[in-house]
Amino acid sequence: MELSGKKILLVEDDKTLNFIIRDNLEEAGYDVKAAGDGQEGYEIFDKNPFDLCLLDVMLPKLDGFSLAKKIREKDQSIPILFLTAKAMTEDKIKGFTIGGDDYITKPFSMEELLLRIKVFLKRSHTDELESDEVNSCKVGHFDFLFDNLTLQHGDEKRTLTYKEAELLRYFCEHSNAVLSRSDILKNVWGSDDYYLGRSLDVFISRLRKYLKSDPDIKIINLHGIGFRFNAPVEKR
């Protein structure tokens, strides 16, 4: 799929880094709007459509976590990537809890940044799925539409974040099988990084909450191993 022209919101208060990132993204063909603080970033987001948000965590006026929370209130599905110099587990878990999709820890190479962005944009705008990937399915009494990032039962409809939808799709593709934490992380996040491992529990808890109205769906924690997604899944 052609990614050139995709719109990216960049919010970074370091002027030099802001310029370098924007220059590299534009050189790669992306349409970038940049801001130097969280409040300005939200005002730009509120007035323009974007395909991905790239947010520094330590921002003036409105920090990156607060900005991401406000963005999620308006758009549940847009990928949000944090730029951070912080390596504390608690900070990363907080970011995932409010709806962030990934972290890129400073210092990073532009090659790494461009690759991570490309992966997210290709995944979140895929027109052709791999033959074994679930596009839509019946999960218990829920209808799960991956393309629309929606989970629906009757009149109740929930929009998932992209990572929530990816995790649920992976579970549906491997329903009733034992899945190790490492396999889940590598297939959904592309890495079994320690911090992602801690944050996986946040996503598991969130999915359990969304699916709790159907007693036939259970995400079983297998201590020291991983998880098993026990659910009737009808792939379409």
Side-chain angles (χ1 to χ4, degrees):
M1 176 194 169
E2 181 60 48
L3 297 178
S4 178
K6 291 299 177 184
K7 299 180 184 299
I8 295 177
L9 172 64
L10 167 64
V11 189
E12 167 60 65
D13 65 322
D14 184 310
K15 292 182 179 180
T16 301
L17 186 56
N18 188 311
F19 174 80
I20 292 172
I21 293 174
R22 180 173 184 173
D23 186 57
N24 277 268
L25 292 178
E26 290 179 339
E27 180 68 23
Y30 297 114
D31 181 357
V32 182
K33 290 190 181 300
D37 65 68
Q39 185 59 44
E40 180 189 10
Y42 182 72
E43 290 171 1
I44 293 174
F45 176 83
D46 195 40
K47 297 174 183 176
N48 300 275
F50 289 98
D51 297 290
L52 182 142
C53 296
L54 195 57
L55 314 178
D56 186 30
V57 172
M58 302 297 289
L59 292 169
K61 297 187 179 179
L62 188 70
D63 67 81
F65 291 146
S66 299
L67 173 56
K69 188 173 181 180
K70 287 173 70 69
I71 288 173
R72 275 286 172 253
E73 290 171 357
K74 291 183 68 70
D75 190 330
Q76 278 289 316
S77 62
I78 187 169
I80 297 176
L81 279 67
F82 289 111
L83 300 174
T84 178
K86 291 188 172 184
M88 296 295 291
T89 305
E90 291 75 14
D91 291 318
K92 295 198 172 188
I93 291 176
K94 180 179 179 181
F96 285 124
T97 301
I98 62 175
D101 291 296
D102 205 356
Y103 272 87
I104 301 175
T105 305
K106 301 175 184 176
F108 53 82
S109 69
M110 284 302 144
E111 290 79 5
E112 177 192 5
L113 177 61
L114 289 169
L115 178 60
R116 301 277 276 280
I117 289 174
K118 183 178 180 180
V119 166
F120 269 94
L121 289 177
K122 287 186 73 173
R123 286 179 177 175
S124 57
H125 295 86
T126 297
D127 294 317
E128 295 182 5
L129 293 170
E130 297 295 333
S131 60
D132 61 342
E133 286 189 327
V134 171
N135 183 27
S136 66
C137 64
K138 187 83 172 176
V139 188
H141 63 215
F142 292 95
D143 289 307
F144 173 44
L145 301 177
F146 180 78
D147 280 352
N148 297 329
L149 304 180
T150 57
L151 186 65
Q152 187 167 0
H153 172 51
D155 295 330
E156 181 184 344
K157 183 177 181 180
R158 179 183 298 277
T159 300
L160 305 176
T161 69
Y162 187 72
K163 276 301 171 192
E164 289 171 350
E166 266 208 320
L167 179 57
L168 180 55
R169 179 168 73 172
Y170 188 72
F171 277 146
C172 290
E173 290 168 350
H174 302 86
S175 58
N176 303 304
V178 174
L179 302 171
S180 71
R181 281 179 170 268
S182 179
D183 283 344
I184 295 170
L185 291 168
K186 286 178 180 177
N187 282 279
V188 178
W189 276 273
S191 168
D192 59 353
D193 176 89
Y194 170 77
Y195 299 110
L196 291 177
R198 288 285 305 275
S199 302
L200 173 60
D201 294 322
V202 172
F203 284 85
I204 295 290
S205 296
R206 207 178 290 162
L207 288 184
R208 282 177 175 146
K209 179 181 177 182
Y210 300 162
L211 300 166
K212 68 180 181 180
S213 65
D214 189 338
D216 290 332
I217 302 175
K218 297 185 184 301
I219 305 176
I220 300 172
N221 188 352
L222 303 172
H223 183 68
I225 301 173
F227 299 91
R228 184 170 60 236
F229 185 65
N230 279 8
V233 176
E234 180 185 337
K235 300 177 183 178
R236 295 170 180 168

